[in-house]
């Protein structure tokens, strides 16, 4: 078992509040990913869980045991650092066995554990090398091996793949997913990378300025962000946000007038909105179609287009000067400055009130996550 | 040579293309010779001439008290120097001085460097204070130690001893070598601290964090992480300090004058006393050559032992 329960956790560095009260439940075998903008406190939260930083207030429990003030080594957690933090003067074998050596475990037992871990990570031939004689990916694997041998309840990863090149990152990502299944482990993973977050996570925790904005499965966050911050943070290219005003609210939904021209009738249900309120209309680049100028009331001018092969990103200038991005098919051709119309898929549109909170939209039964 | 021939190559190709390869090569070698010759000449005058003169002096009888009596005596000067009772004393004292100061500056240096690496109030000032003794002239610091600190009547130590009701110690009479080692260490520990302190700053914090997660306490982190990280700077400290400690002179000259007896006479001081107290230039030259030889042996051993550690990356 390894259930982690965090209650009202706070951390300040010399009067600067970094973590401002976090509640979080992490279940056994879950792969949890922390995402958030740079400086929001992801690493700090991870280091608090690991015990490398002292908690200012709040509590951390692992399986009913309060570990808030327990020494890092006694928490049954292992951490993989962004810089790998291998011990440069020790061989790979020694790096991996260091924790066990310190714990005074039987030599034969250590040998067996190290070789088992080396087998899982395909490190066998590298055991007698020093870290400096390894490639980035191999170092990464040694760092993971070092945590595996300790057989921890929870693995903590702080941006473990950010020092690798794109191809290796994809490879290591798959390996981590495989490892998660194979070890049946609980993992907490910090990343900047959207793709890593979406592909690896059972549960994504979006952090912003020391608070949890939303916790949920990747698709839950993608389809039903609770506020404008999460909506803008999850998904690349970013969701487009268009300013507008509420025209009418009824049982059938909300009618909005966008500053850039068109009026839309949306199925969102709200009791708090009144006609005249400011509102933000959000639509993902993949939920818009570019059509000829006379086929839509939403008139725009095309800016630069980027062809990525499978997709084309069209940057679009709206009548009131706002910019947005549309993801069009790979063979989409357009001229710079050409006039066009946009057809947003209104069933996928998002609405946010003036404070940035989401106006809930009806969930089709199939999509409810 | 290869470096100085580089610019010559460039200009030759640019200006005179139609010459044979042979002429071209000759021209180049002449040019590069011309370019290195000033430094070679300076080196010759600077090193070879004094060396030759020393060798020459060491082979003749040359005492300033008996001018004109400069016969060739072969290796007699060397024989006298090596069998002089001061020589064994000088050798042992030199070794003792070098080894103890090295030991003290490495051990104390590492401890201080590790201690000041943790953050505390006023750390910046403490760091400056720690390294400042290194910038004081040896003569001055030796005088300060002699007259203000260790002096049996007016010294600070004597005051402390008297405060506790003990009999003040006349350091330079009772423990002369220990006193010299104390003074020299006081000067050279800061050098070790300076180097090791800088090295501590390049120790990866995440490595320490990883070790803490692996269950290492402060002592285990020191042995398994910090000390191996400092191995290289320690080697540098040992190498550089050895070179300077072999020729410690001012501290002995200003305090004990090599005494009592030969108790604080090291090789450098022995040679000085032969040349300028007994006016025997021939004997002093022989001693100088012996010292050069010993320094070279020491340097050779050091470079074999430590140099490998330095060039081996990581
Ligand atoms: N030891 C410390 N002392 C003071 N402030 C700190 C300390 N460690 C972190 N901070 C501050 O805490 C905030 C959060 O840092 P943290 O490293 O957790 O960010 P992060 O979310 O991991 O960012 P990134 O994605 O860039 O790694 C930052 O503003 C940082 O300056
Ligand atoms: Mg971070």
């Amino acid at each position: 078992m390894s259930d982690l329960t965090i209650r009202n956790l706070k951390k300040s560095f010399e009067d600067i509040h970094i973590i401002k009260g976090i509640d979080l439940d992490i279940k056994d075998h879950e792969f949890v990913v922390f995402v958030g903008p740079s400086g929001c406190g992801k690493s700090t939260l991870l280091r608090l869980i690991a015990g490398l930083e002292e908690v200012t207030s709040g509590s951390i429990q692992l399986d009913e045991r309060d570990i808030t003030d327990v020494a890092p080594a006694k928490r049954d957690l292992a951490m993989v650092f962004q810089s790998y933090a291998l011990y440069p003067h020790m061989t790979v074998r020694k790096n991996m066995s260091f924790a066990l050596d310190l714990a005074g475990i039987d030599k034969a037992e250590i040998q067996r554990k190290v070789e088992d871990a080396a087998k899982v990570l395909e490190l066998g031939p590298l055991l007698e090398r020093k870290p400096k004689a390894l490639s980035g990916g191999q170092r990464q694997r040694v760092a993971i091996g070092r945590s595996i041998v300790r057989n921890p309840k929870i693995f903590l990863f702080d941006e473990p793949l950010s020092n690798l090149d794109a191809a290796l990152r994809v490879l290591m990502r798959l390996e981590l997913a495989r490892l998660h299944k194979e070890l049946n482990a609980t993992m907490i993973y910090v990343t900047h990378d959207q793709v890593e977050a979406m592909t690896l996570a059972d549960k994504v925790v979006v952090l912003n300025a020391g608070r949890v904005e939303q916790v949920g499965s990747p698709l839950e966050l993608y389809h039903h962000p609770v506020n404008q911050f999460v909506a803008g943070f999850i998904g690349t290219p970013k969701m487009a946000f268009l300013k507008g005003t509420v025209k009418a609210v009824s049982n059938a939904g909300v009618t909005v007038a966008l500053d850039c021209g068109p009026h839309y009738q949306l199925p969102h249900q709200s009791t708090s909105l009144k006609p005249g309120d400011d509102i933000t209309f959000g639509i993902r680049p993949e939920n818009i179609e570019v059509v000829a100028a006379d086929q839509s009331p939403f008139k725009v001018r095309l800016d630069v287009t980027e062809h990525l092969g499978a997709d084309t990103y069209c940057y679009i200038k709206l009548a009131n000067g706002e910019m947005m991005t549309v993801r069009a098919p790979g063979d989409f051709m357009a001229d710079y400055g050409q006039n066009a119309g946009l057809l947003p898929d209104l069933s996928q549109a998002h609405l946010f009130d003036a404070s940035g909170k989401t106006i809930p939209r009806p969930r089709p039964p199939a999509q409810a996550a | 040579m290869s470096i100085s021939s580089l610019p010559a190559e460039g200009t030759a190709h640019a200006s005179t293309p139609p010459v044979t390869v042979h002429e071209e090569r000759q021209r180049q070698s002449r040019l590069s010779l011309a370019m290195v010759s000033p430094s070679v000449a300076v080196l010759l005058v600077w090193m070879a001439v004094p060396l030759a003169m020393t060798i020459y002096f060491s082979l003749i009888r040359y005492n300033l008290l008996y001018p004109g009596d400069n016969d060739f005596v072969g290796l007699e000067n060397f024989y006298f120097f090596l069998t002089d009772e001061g020589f064994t004393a000088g050798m042992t004292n030199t070794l003792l001085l070098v080894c103890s100061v090295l030991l003290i500056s490495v051990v104390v240096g590492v401890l201080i460097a590790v201690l000041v690496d943790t953050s505390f109030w006023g750390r910046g000032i403490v760091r400056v204070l720690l390294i400042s003794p290194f910038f004081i002239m040896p003569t001055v610091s030796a005088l300060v130690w002699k007259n203000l600190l260790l002096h049996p009547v007016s010294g600070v130590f004597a005051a402390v001893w008297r405060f506790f009701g003990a009999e003040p110690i006349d350091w330079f009479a009772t423990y002369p070598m220990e006193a010299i080692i104390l003074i020299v260490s006081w000067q050279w520990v800061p050098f070790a601290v300076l180097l090791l302190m800088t090295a501590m700053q390049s120790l990866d914090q995440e490595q320490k964090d990883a070790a803490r997660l692996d269950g290492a306490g402060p002592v285990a982190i020191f042995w398994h992480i910090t000390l191996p990280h400092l191995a290289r700077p320690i080697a540098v400290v040992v190498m550089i300090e050895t070179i300077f400690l072999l020729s410690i002179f001012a501290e002995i000259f200003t305090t004990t004058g090599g005494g009592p007896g030969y108790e604080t006479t090291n090789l450098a001081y022995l040679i000085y006393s032969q040349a300028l107290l007994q006016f025997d230039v021939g004997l002093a030259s022989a001693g100088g050559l012996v010292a050069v030889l010993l320094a070279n042996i020491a340097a050779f051993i050091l470079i074999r032992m430590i140099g490998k550690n330095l060039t081996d990356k990581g």
Side-chain angles (χ1 to χ4, degrees):
Chain A
M1 280 295 287
S2 45
D3 290 336
L4 190 74
T5 314
I6 297 174
R7 286 290 167 260
N8 200 17
L9 189 70
K10 291 186 184 164
K11 173 70 184 173
S12 4
F13 291 107
E14 289 137 20
D15 299 341
I16 306 168
H17 304 294
I18 302 296
I19 302 288
K20 298 166 184 162
I22 283 187
D23 293 291
L24 201 59
D25 292 285
I26 291 167
K27 298 267 172 307
D28 202 17
H29 304 327
E30 253 180 346
F31 200 121
V32 178
V33 173
F34 293 171
V35 292
S38 189
C40 69
K42 304 181 294 290
S43 300
T44 308
L45 179 54
L46 207 63
R47 291 169 60 83
L48 285 170
I49 296 174
L52 295 172
E53 301 282 357
E54 237 171 88
V55 168
T56 306
S57 72
S59 76
I60 307 172
Q61 283 191 359
L62 182 58
D63 296 337
E64 313 300 310
R65 170 173 164 239
D66 191 329
I67 57 166
T68 317
D69 298 314
V70 173
K74 302 245 159 69
R75 294 189 178 202
D76 270 344
L77 307 173
M79 184 153 168
V80 175
F81 294 85
Q82 180 173 0
S83 67
Y84 315 144
L86 299 180
Y87 311 125
H89 51 276
M90 298 182 194
T91 59
V92 169
R93 179 188 295 281
K94 190 82 181 73
N95 260 286
M96 284 167 63
S97 68
F98 186 60
L100 306 178
D101 289 339
L102 284 177
I105 292 174
D106 174 51
K107 285 272 180 288
E109 171 87 2
I110 293 177
Q111 167 109 2
R112 191 182 57 73
K113 284 191 170 174
V114 169
E115 309 238 296
D116 283 354
K119 198 180 294 162
V120 174
L121 294 165
E122 292 156 23
L123 285 171
L126 307 176
L127 278 179
E128 306 310 325
R129 291 210 201 158
K130 292 262 181 78
K132 68 176 180 213
L134 300 178
S135 73
Q138 291 167 337
R139 280 177 212 190
Q140 183 59 65
R141 290 216 293 272
V142 175
I144 296 172
R146 195 165 64 177
S147 40
I148 290 181
V149 291
R150 291 179 49 205
N151 193 19
K153 286 191 168 168
I154 301 184
F155 288 88
L156 308 173
F157 295 92
D158 192 357
E159 308 197 24
L161 306 187
S162 57
N163 286 345
L164 304 178
D165 68 50
L168 199 53
R169 210 178 301 171
V170 174
L171 217 67
M172 288 302 294
R173 201 171 73 211
L174 290 175
E175 205 152 317
L176 276 174
R178 177 176 67 88
L179 212 61
H180 177 232
K181 298 273 181 290
E182 223 163 85
L183 300 175
N184 213 355
T186 310
M187 295 186 168
I188 305 179
Y189 187 102
V190 169
T191 182
H192 266 120
D193 188 312
Q194 293 269 331
V195 184
E196 280 171 32
M198 298 302 275
T199 53
L200 289 172
D202 297 319
K203 186 150 101 184
V204 178
V205 178
V206 183
L207 294 168
N208 183 27
R211 289 182 207 286
V212 175
E213 293 282 352
Q214 189 172 4
V215 181
S217 74
L219 288 183
E220 168 81 10
L221 297 192
Y222 179 82
H223 289 296
H224 301 284
V226 296
N227 57 31
Q228 195 174 340
F229 176 82
V230 177
F233 195 79
I234 302 288
T236 39
K238 225 172 114 133
M239 182 187 286
F241 295 117
L242 309 175
K243 295 250 172 283
T245 28
V246 176
K247 279 288 165 215
V249 185
S250 72
N251 281 346
V254 183
T255 311
V256 296
L258 300 186
D259 293 357
C260 53
H263 288 51
Y264 289 121
Q265 162 85 36
L266 298 163
H268 296 64
Q269 299 298 322
S270 169
T271 50
S272 58
L273 286 180
K274 316 180 294 295
D277 280 353
D278 282 338
I279 200 140
T280 305
F281 172 87
I283 185 83
R284 293 201 184 276
E286 44 273 42
N287 296 330
I288 313 176
E289 201 182 336
V290 183
V291 294
D294 52 1
Q295 285 177 14
S296 162
F298 195 166
K299 307 266 186 267
V300 296
R301 182 189 284 269
L302 297 184
D303 204 81
V304 180
T305 49
E306 292 176 340
H307 292 275
L308 303 181
D311 296 314
T312 305
Y313 293 165
C314 306
Y315 296 89
I316 285 173
K317 194 162 202 171
L318 307 182
N320 62 342
E322 286 176 304
M323 293 291 296
M324 64 182 283
T325 314
V326 170
R327 185 200 294 256
D331 54 3
F332 179 84
M333 287 297 157
D335 294 326
Y336 177 80
Q338 183 186 333
N339 285 317
L342 294 186
L343 281 182
D345 175 358
L346 294 184
S347 70
Q348 298 294 331
H350 301 260
L351 274 186
F352 308 99
D353 66 15
S355 66
K357 272 186 62 187
T358 299
I359 312 294
R361 69 174 186 211
R363 296 189 180 208
Q367 211 184 63
Chain B
M1 284 296 276
S2 65
I3 289 169
S4 53
S5 69
L6 276 178
E9 223 166 61
T11 50
H13 281 298
S15 56
T16 57
V19 282
T20 68
V21 177
H22 181 70
E23 281 172 22
E24 173 67 21
R25 197 170 292 156
Q26 258 193 345
R27 222 184 70 83
Q28 271 184 22
S29 70
R30 251 182 292 129
L31 194 59
S32 39
L33 198 64
M35 289 201 161
V36 294
S37 55
S39 45
V40 172
V42 168
L43 255 183
L44 268 180
V45 174
W46 203 256
M47 285 187 53
V49 172
L51 183 65
M53 282 173 68
T54 313
I55 293 176
Y56 169 67
F57 290 155
S58 72
L59 298 176
I60 59 174
R61 180 175 305 136
Y62 187 4
N63 193 315
L64 298 177
L65 296 179
Y66 310 101
D69 184 13
N70 292 350
D71 309 332
F72 180 80
V73 292
L75 296 178
E76 198 174 82
N77 281 323
F78 289 90
Y79 176 77
F80 280 129
F81 184 79
L82 293 176
T83 51
D84 189 293
E85 57 169 326
F87 178 73
T88 2
M91 278 295 285
T92 2
N93 287 335
T94 305
L95 268 182
L96 188 67
L97 186 64
V98 171
C99 292
S100 354
V101 175
L102 275 183
L103 191 73
I104 291 171
S105 51
V106 167
V107 172
V108 178
V110 167
L111 287 181
I112 292 181
V114 169
L115 284 181
V116 297
D117 196 53
T118 56
S119 59
F120 55 88
W121 190 84
R123 180 165 75 162
I125 295 169
V126 169
R127 285 185 171 183
V128 174
L129 287 179
L130 274 172
I131 55 175
S132 53
F134 187 59
F135 299 105
I136 297 174
M137 275 185 279
T139 2
V140 174
S141 75
L143 282 174
V144 167
W145 274 94
K146 182 182 180 184
N147 296 324
L148 297 180
L149 295 171
L150 298 180
H151 198 278
V153 177
S154 58
V156 171
F157 281 51
V160 172
W161 255 248
R162 269 195 296 273
F163 179 81
F164 288 107
E167 178 76 8
I169 299 171
D170 186 356
W171 288 89
F172 292 110
T174 331
Y175 303 109
M177 196 60 197
E178 286 82 351
I180 299 275
I181 288 173
L182 185 66
I183 297 173
V184 177
S185 301
W186 184 77
Q187 284 171 8
W188 284 96
V189 166
F191 177 74
V193 170
L194 181 66
L195 251 68
L196 299 174
M197 208 162 63
T198 343
M200 281 301 291
Q201 281 163 0
S202 66
L203 177 55
D204 181 13
Q205 187 60 41
E206 289 199 335
Q207 259 177 52
K208 281 201 250 176
D209 288 341
R212 273 172 69 198
L213 275 170
D214 276 345
V219 178
I221 290 183
F222 176 77
W223 277 114
H224 296 288
I225 310 290
T226 312
L227 215 50
H229 175 76
L230 291 180
R232 239 203 269 204
I234 287 177
V236 175
V237 167
V238 169
M239 205 127 102
I240 294 180
E241 287 201 0
T242 309
I243 293 164
F244 284 94
L245 292 177
L246 276 173
S247 57
I248 286 293
F249 175 78
E251 292 82 349
I252 298 173
F253 180 76
T254 26
T255 55
T256 61
Y262 281 114
E263 264 184 65
T264 56
T265 299
N266 66 352
L267 277 185
Y269 195 84
L270 183 68
I271 293 163
Y272 156 80
S273 68
Q274 305 266 359
L276 293 175
L277 298 183
Q278 300 166 26
F279 301 102
D280 194 336
V281 178
L283 195 58
S285 300
L289 287 175
V290 171
V292 167
L293 196 70
L294 289 175
N296 273 300
I297 292 171
F300 181 76
I301 294 171
L302 278 175
I303 286 170
R304 285 299 292 274
M305 261 171 29
I306 297 168
K308 233 190 325 193
N309 174 356
L310 284 181
T311 47
D312 173 31
K313 293 184 197 67

